[in-house]
Amino acid sequence: MPEQFTAAASTHGPSPVLLVVFAFGGVVALWAGLSWALDIRGITVRRSQRIRQRTADRWGGPERLGAPPANMFGSVGYLRFLGVMLAFTGIVLLVIVYALWHLG
């Protein structure tokens, strides 16, 4: 009985839908990650300014005194680091697609 299951499992390759979804996700993650990491068209600078402005608006109520606290998540360097991690994830997804395609 186990021989039938292993034979049946080894005759089918990876689903083409799965390959397309992983490839699309990899390309989108790579594109978005490189856009953030390389600051194409000032994406990370604008996003950082919006995060800082939102923090200042939230902190600027009448009951609060002083300046808003420094926020690491609003820095340009942190957003560029997220872009590098997102680009790396896209490369990993594309490598998985390539491996599944050739192993299938």
Side-chain angles (χ1 to χ4, degrees):
M1 187 89 165
E3 296 86 17
Q4 293 171 344
F5 289 125
T6 57
S10 64
T11 57
H12 299 292
S15 169
V17 174
L18 181 69
L19 292 177
V20 168
V21 167
F22 272 36
F24 181 73
V27 169
V28 168
L30 186 62
W31 172 74
L34 288 177
S35 294
W36 281 28
L38 301 176
D39 196 21
I40 297 174
R41 296 184 299 157
I43 291 172
T44 54
V45 173
R46 285 193 316 256
R47 183 157 174 82
S48 174
Q49 288 173 349
R50 281 195 306 257
I51 290 171
R52 283 194 212 118
Q53 184 63 38
R54 192 173 350 142
T55 303
D57 290 344
R58 285 185 192 155
W59 194 264
E63 68 277 353
R64 298 187 187 206
L65 300 174
N71 189 355
M72 178 195 76
F73 301 112
S75 69
V76 175
Y78 179 73
L79 293 175
R80 285 188 174 184
F81 171 73
L82 285 180
V84 168
M85 297 307 293
L86 191 59
F88 178 72
T89 304
I91 291 171
V92 168
L93 281 174
L94 291 175
V95 167
I96 288 172
V97 167
Y98 182 76
L100 285 175
W101 183 43
H102 279 289
L103 291 176

